Amino acid sequence: MKEQIKILKKHILTGTSHMIPFIVAGGILFSISVMLNPAGAATPTEGWLAGLAQIGLGGLTLFVPVLGGYIAYSIADKPGLAPGMIGAYLANSMGAGFLGGMAAGLIAGVVVKQLKKIKLPISLKTLGSIFIYPLLGTFITGGIIVWGIGTPIAFIMQSLTSWLSGLGDVGRVPLATILGAMTAFDMGGPINKVATLFAQTQVDTLPYLMGGVGVAICTPPIGMGIATLLAPKKYNAEEKEAGKAAILMGCVGITEGAIPFAANDPLRVIPSLIVGAVVGNIIPFLTGVLNHAPWGGLIVLPVVEGRIWYIISVLAGGFVTAIMVNLLKKNNTDDSAVKAVAEDDGLDEITFDEL
C-alpha cells in the first residue's frame, strides 16, 4: 500500500510541477490587472487592462488541463497526454475544478496504460502511440466524464444552491462556518463557486456575507504562503516559490493560488485551508464587517466597512491555516522526486536548486 501511495504521489507531483508555472504566470498577470483596474476590485473590461486580464485568465484556464495531462503522461507516457488534457478540460468545463482535473488525469493514465497492454500487429505498432491509444483513450476518458460525472456535478451544484438559499434563519456562526468551509474546499471548483456566488449575488442587500466570504476567498493562498515562510523545510523548492506568488494572489482574491499545495498533499492541506477559512469567515460575521464589492482579498479594503476587523480576520485565518498545515506536515522528502521529474524531462543538467 505504501508503495502504491508513493507511486501515486509521483504521478501527481509530475502534474503539479508542470502546472505551477501556469498558475503563477496567469495568476500574477491577472492580479496586476485587477489591482490597476480604476473601476475597483473586478475583472477589467476595457482598455489594455482587459487584455492583460485575458492573458492572465489564459494561464488560469490552462492549468487544469496541464495538470490532468501530465498526470496521465506520468502514468502512460506520451499516449496519455492528449486523453489526460482533454479529460481534465472537460471536467473543469463542467465545474469539477482542479479535483476533477486530477481525477481525469488519473483515469486517462490508467485507461491508456491498459490499452497499451493490448498486443497490436507489427504493422500497427507505429500507429499505437500517436493514433490508436490517444484516440481510444480520449474517447473512453471523455465518455466517462461527459456521460458519467457531468450530470451528478450539475445536480450537486443545484442542490447546494437550494440548500444555501434555505439557510436564512440559521445563526451567523453556523452560516459563516458553512460558507467558509465551502469556499476553501476546492478553491475555484463547484463547491467554492456555489458559496461565493451565494454571497456575491446578495452584495447589495446583505453585504455582511461578502464581508466574511471576501476573507475566506483569500485565506487559503495567503495561509499557504505564510506556511512556506514559517517552515521552509517542509516544502520543496517549487512550493516555496509558489508560496510567494500565492500571497500576492490571495491579496487580490484569487483562491487558486493554494491549488499547487492542495494537489501535492490534499489530506493535510485541504483541512487546514478549511479551518483557516472558517476562522477568517466567522470573525467578520461577528464584528459586523461589510464588503460592498463582489470580490475578496485585501484589494477590496476601500469599499469595506470595518477595515481593521477585516484585516485581522485575514491574518487570523491565514496564520491558523499556516500553523495547522505545518503541524500536520513532516519535513519535505520530495526533493528527490522533483529532481527525478526534471531528469525525466531531459533537465538533468540543471541543478535542483535552480529548479
XYZ file of all heavy atoms in Angstrom, residues 237-303:
476
model
N 11.278 23.027 -3.392
C 11.677 24.314 -3.979
C 10.542 24.955 -4.758
O 10.345 26.169 -4.695
C 12.894 24.104 -4.884
N 9.801 24.149 -5.513
C 8.701 24.694 -6.303
C 7.608 25.266 -5.410
O 7.028 26.316 -5.703
C 8.122 23.615 -7.215
C 9.010 23.301 -8.406
C 8.324 22.356 -9.374
O 7.507 21.534 -8.914
O 8.595 22.449 -10.578
N 7.307 24.558 -4.321
C 6.271 25.036 -3.411
C 6.676 26.339 -2.740
O 5.843 27.228 -2.524
C 5.956 23.960 -2.369
C 5.196 22.773 -2.933
C 5.014 21.676 -1.910
O 5.939 21.440 -1.115
O 3.943 21.038 -1.904
N 7.950 26.464 -2.399
C 8.407 27.714 -1.763
C 8.276 28.894 -2.716
O 7.901 29.996 -2.306
C 9.850 27.549 -1.264
C 9.934 26.746 0.038
C 11.351 26.645 0.550
C 12.115 25.543 -0.113
N 13.397 25.238 0.556
N 8.561 28.675 -3.988
C 8.384 29.746 -4.963
C 6.903 30.036 -5.181
O 6.488 31.189 -5.301
C 9.051 29.365 -6.298
C 10.562 29.302 -6.238
C 11.171 30.610 -5.768
O 10.768 31.671 -6.286
O 12.035 30.585 -4.871
N 6.102 28.968 -5.228
C 4.656 29.153 -5.399
C 4.051 29.872 -4.208
O 3.058 30.595 -4.350
C 3.980 27.798 -5.590
N 4.649 29.697 -3.018
C 4.135 30.359 -1.823
C 4.232 31.868 -1.912
O 3.339 32.593 -1.453
N 5.312 32.363 -2.520
C 5.467 33.807 -2.680
C 4.387 34.358 -3.601
O 3.775 35.401 -3.330
C 6.852 34.129 -3.239
C 8.003 33.682 -2.336
C 9.344 33.836 -3.036
C 10.474 33.249 -2.194
N 11.780 33.271 -2.899
N 4.142 33.657 -4.704
C 3.102 34.095 -5.635
C 1.718 33.955 -5.005
O 0.819 34.761 -5.274
C 3.173 33.269 -6.921
N 1.549 32.935 -4.158
C 0.246 32.703 -3.531
C -0.169 33.866 -2.644
O -1.349 34.225 -2.593
C 0.282 31.409 -2.723
N 0.777 34.465 -1.941
C 0.445 35.602 -1.078
C -0.097 36.759 -1.915
O -1.116 37.372 -1.567
C 1.675 36.048 -0.270
C 2.048 34.958 0.747
C 1.411 37.365 0.437
C 3.304 35.254 1.543
N 0.555 37.034 -3.040
C 0.072 38.103 -3.915
C -1.313 37.775 -4.450
O -2.214 38.632 -4.446
C 1.054 38.306 -5.071
C 0.613 39.313 -6.144
C 0.413 40.692 -5.541
C 1.617 39.363 -7.285
N -1.499 36.526 -4.908
C -2.803 36.143 -5.450
C -3.887 36.216 -4.379
O -5.021 36.626 -4.640
C -2.725 34.744 -6.062
C -2.028 34.713 -7.409
S -2.123 33.099 -8.221
C -0.580 32.385 -7.686
N -3.543 35.835 -3.151
C -4.511 35.924 -2.066
C -4.922 37.357 -1.790
O -6.107 37.646 -1.579
N -3.964 38.275 -1.808
C -4.269 39.686 -1.557
C -5.237 40.239 -2.593
O -6.000 41.170 -2.311
C -2.987 40.511 -1.556
S -1.920 40.203 -0.123
N -5.224 39.661 -3.791
C -6.095 40.138 -4.857
C -7.325 39.243 -5.015
O -8.118 39.429 -5.931
C -5.291 40.230 -6.179
C -6.084 40.915 -7.270
C -4.018 41.007 -5.959
N -7.499 38.289 -4.114
C -8.717 37.488 -4.117
C -8.734 36.339 -5.103
O -9.786 35.991 -5.640
N -7.575 35.728 -5.367
C -7.511 34.573 -6.268
C -7.198 33.339 -5.442
O -6.054 33.068 -5.087
C -6.445 34.782 -7.362
C -6.760 36.055 -8.171
C -6.386 33.582 -8.298
C -5.723 36.398 -9.196
N -8.234 32.577 -5.126
C -8.102 31.408 -4.252
C -7.220 30.336 -4.876
O -6.602 29.535 -4.157
C -9.487 30.821 -3.940
O -10.394 31.884 -3.684
C -9.450 29.895 -2.746
N -7.171 30.292 -6.209
C -6.430 29.237 -6.901
C -4.950 29.201 -6.551
O -4.265 28.218 -6.858
C -6.594 29.400 -8.416
C -7.951 28.996 -8.956
C -9.001 30.101 -8.858
O -8.735 31.103 -8.160
O -10.073 29.967 -9.459
N -4.434 30.256 -5.917
C -3.034 30.253 -5.538
C -2.660 29.137 -4.580
O -1.484 28.764 -4.464
N -3.652 28.559 -3.886
C -3.379 27.467 -2.945
C -3.431 26.089 -3.602
O -3.082 25.091 -2.970
C -4.383 27.510 -1.791
N -3.848 26.029 -4.860
C -4.068 24.727 -5.505
C -2.798 23.871 -5.603
O -2.860 22.658 -5.374
C -4.730 24.915 -6.883
C -6.207 25.307 -6.689
C -4.630 23.654 -7.732
C -6.951 25.586 -7.965
N -1.624 24.424 -5.947
C -0.444 23.554 -6.024
C -0.177 22.792 -4.733
O 0.242 21.633 -4.758
C 0.694 24.536 -6.339
C 0.026 25.679 -7.024
C -1.314 25.805 -6.369
N -0.414 23.421 -3.606
C -0.184 22.770 -2.307
C -1.245 21.700 -2.041
O -0.939 20.612 -1.549
C -0.205 23.812 -1.186
C 0.761 24.940 -1.393
C 0.368 26.115 -2.002
C 2.083 24.819 -0.993
C 1.261 27.155 -2.204
C 2.991 25.843 -1.189
C 2.571 27.020 -1.807
N -2.496 22.026 -2.364
C -3.580 21.068 -2.146
C -3.443 19.857 -3.056
O -3.754 18.737 -2.660
C -4.937 21.749 -2.377
N -2.973 20.079 -4.279
C -2.800 18.961 -5.209
C -1.689 18.026 -4.748
O -1.797 16.803 -4.883
C -2.498 19.488 -6.611
N -0.614 18.582 -4.198
C 0.516 17.763 -3.745
C 0.206 16.981 -2.467
O 0.709 15.875 -2.276
C 1.739 18.649 -3.490
C 2.539 18.894 -4.746
O 2.326 18.250 -5.763
N 3.456 19.843 -4.684
N -0.601 17.559 -1.591
C -0.833 16.944 -0.272
C -2.252 17.251 0.212
O -2.441 17.967 1.194
C 0.198 17.488 0.721
C 0.244 16.687 2.014
O -0.495 15.694 2.135
O 1.016 17.070 2.916
N -3.272 16.727 -0.478
C -4.650 17.124 -0.167
C -5.111 16.765 1.239
O -5.879 17.514 1.849
C -5.479 16.383 -1.225
C -4.608 15.254 -1.686
C -3.214 15.772 -1.585
N -4.658 15.652 1.776
C -5.164 15.199 3.074
C -4.726 16.105 4.222
O -5.405 16.191 5.246
C -4.717 13.758 3.343
C -5.283 12.708 2.390
C -4.780 11.316 2.773
C -6.805 12.737 2.370
N -3.606 16.769 4.082
C -3.142 17.693 5.127
C -3.513 19.140 4.800
O -3.859 19.910 5.694
C -1.623 17.578 5.306
C -1.161 16.231 5.854
C 0.341 16.247 6.069
N 0.841 14.980 6.603
C 1.254 13.966 5.861
N 1.233 14.071 4.543
N 1.686 12.840 6.402
N -3.429 19.490 3.535
C -3.617 20.889 3.155
C -5.079 21.306 3.164
O -5.436 22.344 3.744
C -2.987 21.154 1.766
C -3.358 22.554 1.264
C -1.473 21.008 1.834
N -5.952 20.518 2.542
C -7.354 20.947 2.414
C -8.025 21.143 3.776
O -8.692 22.165 3.989
C -8.141 19.975 1.511
C -7.633 20.091 0.066
C -9.637 20.270 1.561
C -8.296 19.155 -0.917
N -7.894 20.225 4.745
C -8.487 20.503 6.062
C -7.930 21.775 6.702
O -8.673 22.521 7.353
C -8.105 19.266 6.885
C -7.927 18.194 5.883
C -7.320 18.869 4.690
N -6.652 22.044 6.509
C -6.047 23.259 7.070
C -6.618 24.509 6.413
O -6.881 25.517 7.074
C -4.530 23.229 6.885
O -3.968 22.069 7.473
N -6.823 24.445 5.110
C -7.429 25.566 4.399
C -8.845 25.822 4.900
O -9.263 26.973 5.078
C -7.457 25.294 2.894
C -6.123 25.063 2.187
C -6.363 24.841 0.699
C -5.165 26.214 2.399
N -9.578 24.754 5.120
C -10.964 24.878 5.572
C -11.031 25.516 6.953
O -11.817 26.446 7.192
C -11.660 23.500 5.559
C -11.866 23.032 4.115
C -12.986 23.557 6.307
C -12.384 21.609 3.996
N -10.212 25.024 7.870
C -10.232 25.561 9.236
C -9.843 27.040 9.231
O -10.491 27.874 9.890
C -9.283 24.756 10.149
C -9.171 25.419 11.524
C -9.796 23.326 10.313
N -8.812 27.396 8.494
C -8.396 28.796 8.423
C -9.475 29.680 7.829
O -9.728 30.789 8.311
N -10.138 29.207 6.768
C -11.191 29.988 6.125
C -12.405 30.146 7.034
O -13.048 31.199 7.052
C -11.599 29.338 4.809
N -12.711 29.112 7.797
C -13.838 29.193 8.737
C -13.548 30.241 9.806
O -14.397 31.091 10.118
C -14.120 27.811 9.374
C -15.063 27.952 10.561
C -14.721 26.864 8.331
N -12.343 30.200 10.366
C -11.955 31.206 11.375
C -12.014 32.603 10.769
O -12.562 33.548 11.355
C -10.540 30.918 11.915
C -10.041 32.079 12.782
C -10.535 29.625 12.721
N -11.435 32.734 9.559
C -11.441 34.024 8.896
C -12.822 34.512 8.532
O -13.058 35.719 8.428
N -13.763 33.602 8.335
C -15.139 33.965 7.965
C -15.980 34.331 9.182
O -16.828 35.225 9.117
C -15.794 32.807 7.217
C -16.833 33.277 6.217
O -16.819 34.418 5.789
N -17.735 32.389 5.836
N -15.756 33.664 10.288
C -16.573 33.895 11.485
C -16.317 35.284 12.071
O -17.262 35.984 12.469
C -16.300 32.803 12.537
C -16.922 31.466 12.096
C -16.855 33.212 13.898
C -16.600 30.302 13.013
N -15.060 35.715 12.120
C -14.732 36.999 12.760
C -15.478 38.167 12.104
O -16.095 38.976 12.802
C -13.206 37.232 12.762
C -12.511 36.156 13.604
C -12.880 38.623 13.320
C -10.991 36.200 13.529
N -15.484 38.304 10.775
C -16.230 39.420 10.172
C -17.738 39.321 10.415
O -18.409 40.341 10.594
C -15.913 39.306 8.675
C -14.680 38.500 8.603
C -14.733 37.562 9.763
N -18.256 38.095 10.409
C -19.686 37.914 10.651
C -20.064 38.424 12.040
O -21.139 39.002 12.234
C -20.069 36.442 10.507
C -20.479 36.051 9.104
C -19.724 36.447 8.016
C -21.612 35.285 8.879
C -20.093 36.083 6.720
C -21.994 34.923 7.599
C -21.236 35.314 6.507
N -19.188 38.192 13.020
C -19.489 38.583 14.400
C -19.181 40.057 14.677
O -19.740 40.638 15.609
C -18.696 37.705 15.375
C -19.078 36.222 15.421
C -18.208 35.485 16.422
C -20.554 36.038 15.769
N -18.293 40.654 13.896
C -17.888 42.036 14.162
C -18.561 43.052 13.237
O -18.238 44.243 13.288
C -16.363 42.181 14.046
O -15.935 41.702 12.761
C -15.664 41.379 15.135
N -19.458 42.566 12.390
C -20.234 43.480 11.556
C -19.493 44.063 10.374
O -19.844 45.147 9.895
N -18.511 43.372 9.849
C -17.787 43.854 8.672
C -18.695 43.787 7.446
O -19.404 42.796 7.232
C -16.517 43.010 8.433
C -15.858 43.402 7.112
C -15.539 43.186 9.585
N -18.664 44.836 6.633
C -19.455 44.889 5.402
C -18.518 45.076 4.214
O -17.663 45.952 4.227
C -20.472 46.040 5.445
C -21.453 46.062 6.611
C -22.360 47.280 6.498
C -22.269 44.788 6.677
N -18.677 44.248 3.218
C -17.886 44.348 1.993
C -18.852 44.634 0.842
O -19.696 43.807 0.519
C -17.115 43.043 1.751
C -16.330 43.050 0.454
O -16.233 44.067 -0.223
N -15.774 41.910 0.096
N -18.714 45.793 0.222
C -19.654 46.211 -0.820
C -19.197 45.834 -2.226
O -19.802 46.283 -3.205
C -19.882 47.725 -0.728
C -20.510 48.147 0.562
N -21.861 47.987 0.840
C -19.977 48.703 1.688
C -22.130 48.438 2.046
N -21.007 48.872 2.593
N -18.156 45.023 -2.322
C -17.681 44.549 -3.630
C -17.869 43.039 -3.719
O -17.630 42.323 -2.739
C -16.206 44.898 -3.813
N -18.271 42.531 -4.872
C -18.405 41.080 -5.043
C -17.054 40.427 -5.311
O -16.867 39.730 -6.301
C -19.346 40.966 -6.253
C -19.025 42.170 -7.064
C -18.693 43.256 -6.081
N -16.120 40.662 -4.436
C -14.733 40.216 -4.626
C -14.138 39.953 -3.249
O -14.758 40.237 -2.224
C -13.934 41.299 -5.366
C -12.728 40.780 -6.110
C -11.458 40.677 -5.639
C -12.695 40.331 -7.456
N -10.620 40.173 -6.607
C -11.357 39.951 -7.738
C -13.659 40.186 -8.461
C -10.969 39.447 -8.978
C -13.262 39.689 -9.694
C -11.934 39.325 -9.945
N -12.926 39.421 -3.211
C -12.281 39.146 -1.936
C -10.851 39.614 -1.913
O -10.341 40.182 -2.877
N -10.183 39.371 -0.806
C -8.800 39.775 -0.658
C -8.673 41.164 -0.077
O -9.663 41.835 0.225
N -7.426 41.613 0.058
C -7.170 42.938 0.631
C -7.439 44.061 -0.353
O -7.543 45.225 0.038
C -5.723 43.012 1.116
C -5.363 42.048 2.255
C -3.890 42.164 2.599
C -6.218 42.306 3.491
N -7.586 43.733 -1.625
C -7.798 44.757 -2.630
C -9.151 45.451 -2.484
O -9.356 46.548 -2.994
C -7.671 44.138 -4.050
C -7.489 45.230 -5.082
C -8.865 43.261 -4.367
C -7.132 44.734 -6.455
N -10.085 44.839 -1.757
C -11.414 45.437 -1.598
C -11.484 46.384 -0.398
O -12.545 46.930 -0.104
C -12.511 44.348 -1.448
C -12.534 43.441 -2.660
C -12.307 43.530 -0.178
N -10.390 46.595 0.295
C -10.397 47.428 1.504
C -11.047 48.815 1.319
O -11.730 49.293 2.227
C -8.986 47.594 2.054
C -8.428 46.403 2.847
C -6.973 46.645 3.221
C -9.270 46.138 4.089
N -10.882 49.476 0.163
C -11.518 50.792 0.007
C -13.044 50.767 0.142
O -13.639 51.797 0.477
C -11.092 51.228 -1.400
C -9.797 50.527 -1.621
C -9.970 49.190 -0.950
N -13.684 49.622 -0.124
C -15.151 49.565 -0.038
C -15.614 48.699 1.138
O -16.758 48.254 1.176
C -15.771 49.040 -1.359
C -15.520 50.025 -2.479
C -15.224 47.655 -1.717
